[in-house]
Amino acid sequence: DAGVTQSPTHLIKTRGQQVTLRCSPKSGHDTVSWYQQALGQGPQFIFQYYEEEERQRGNFPDRFSGHQFPNYSSELNVNALLLGDSALYLCASSGQQGDYGYTFGSGTRLTVV
Amino acid sequence: RKEVEQDPGPFNVPEGATVAFNCTYSNSASQSFFWYRQDCRKEPKLLMSVYSSGNEDGRFTAQLNRASQYISLLIRDSKLSDSATYLCVVNLGGSYQLTFGKGTKLSVIP
């Protein structure tokens, strides 16, 4: 049973560019959340998608946007990259019935230079 | 005040030692509480949920004090494999967001 898969695993981008990160949830899960984890910090909630809609958003600017597809997979897009966007981006999936048994993917490590 | 605050660490303990981590949360409306474990450069993994009556899972014991807004994790008989960062995590009622502390790094030394 595949867990949460994320791609790519590592990425280097230049300031001002745009990036798309991808996530496939664990089998049986229909809800996807995205988190940003800067070095030495705990993960910070970006947003959650359910039924192809953004259900809740954290304190992140509009440069961060997302999408969920009918097969429950999800993308995170970041526009106009800043050096401070360098972080580990984690995708977590869960069932939507208030199930907090989140399963995290191994993340995408984004470096902005 | 940060929403979830943890002991700064790092904690360096010998094998077999007992170690305790503390965590406080600021929002009294918080309803669900967890400890996650994160190995170096890996994803967080759920260690255990924390219940009001306290709960135990093998060598791990978690306690919750709602009045003091305080959560603890006790690890008995530490193993080398317990070396990791331990993240205190809180969820507000009616929210889908998990709020993480910065984590406390534990190194168990032979």
Side-chain angles (χ1 to χ4, degrees), chain B residues 6-109:
Chain B
Q6 296 186 239
D7 285 347
F11 284 61
N12 300 312
V13 303
E15 272 186 289
T18 295
V19 61
F21 302 140
N22 303 315
C23 168
T24 57
Y25 58 95
S26 61
N27 194 323
S28 59
S30 300
Q31 290 198 358
S32 302
F33 309 90
F34 312 91
W35 284 100
Y36 275 71
R37 169 195 169 124
Q38 187 171 26
D39 292 292
C40 187
R41 304 183 76 81
K42 300 282 190 180
E43 72 275 20
K45 293 184 178 178
L46 178 65
L47 179 65
M48 58 197 303
S49 301
V50 186
Y51 303 115
S52 296
S53 55
N55 49 297
E56 188 173 307
D57 183 2
R59 297 181 294 107
F60 299 84
T61 301
Q63 297 280 349
L64 168 65
N65 184 322
R66 287 185 183 271
S68 302
Q69 296 180 199
Y70 171 92
I71 307 162
S72 66
L73 176 68
L74 184 75
I75 305 175
R76 291 181 299 278
D77 189 21
S78 298
K79 311 291 185 191
L80 295 176
S81 57
D82 294 334
S83 297
T85 295
Y86 290 83
L87 297 159
C88 179
V89 184
V90 168
N91 171 258
L92 282 177
S95 169
Y96 301 105
Q97 172 180 343
L98 295 180
T99 301
F100 288 78
K102 288 180 64 173
T104 302
K105 185 174 180 180
L106 171 66
S107 294
V108 181
I109 303 161

Side-chain angles (χ1 to χ4, degrees), chain A residues 75-98:
Chain A
E75 288 182 350
L76 164 65
N77 302 292
V78 187
N79 294 323
L81 284 166
L82 304 173
L83 297 180
D85 295 332
S86 295
L88 179 66
Y89 287 84
L90 295 161
C91 171
S93 72
S94 63
Q96 67 89 19
Q97 295 296 334

Side-chain angles (χ1 to χ4, degrees), chain A residues 8 11-12 23 26 33 45 48 67 77 86 90-91 93 99:
Chain A
L11 203 51
I12 300 175
C23 172
K26 182 178 177 179
S33 304
F45 177 75
Q48 184 182 89
H67 189 79
N77 302 292
S86 295
L90 295 161
C91 171
S93 72
D99 171 10

Side-chain angles (χ1 to χ4, degrees), chain A residues 63-79:
Chain A
R63 298 187 298 109
F64 290 77
S65 63
H67 189 79
Q68 186 180 34
F69 299 93
N71 66 352
Y72 309 124
S73 66
S74 176
E75 288 182 350
L76 164 65
N77 302 292
V78 187
N79 294 323

Side-chain angles (χ1 to χ4, degrees), chain A residues 17-96:
Chain A
Q17 285 189 313
Q18 178 264 341
V19 67
T20 297
L21 311 181
R22 295 177 175 82
C23 172
S24 292
K26 182 178 177 179
S27 178
H29 285 179
D30 57 8
T31 302
V32 173
S33 304
W34 287 92
Y35 288 80
Q36 179 197 66
Q37 186 174 23
L39 199 61
Q41 304 293 317
Q44 299 289 312
F45 177 75
I46 303 175
F47 39 54
Q48 184 182 89
Y49 275 84
Y50 171 66
E51 291 190 337
E52 302 178 49
E53 297 283 336
E54 183 184 289
R55 181 156 70 172
Q56 185 173 348
R57 188 179 184 90
N59 189 24
F60 278 79
D62 291 346
R63 298 187 298 109
F64 290 77
S65 63
H67 189 79
Q68 186 180 34
F69 299 93
N71 66 352
Y72 309 124
S73 66
S74 176
E75 288 182 350
L76 164 65
N77 302 292
V78 187
N79 294 323
L81 284 166
L82 304 173
L83 297 180
D85 295 332
S86 295
L88 179 66
Y89 287 84
L90 295 161
C91 171
S93 72
S94 63
Q96 67 89 19

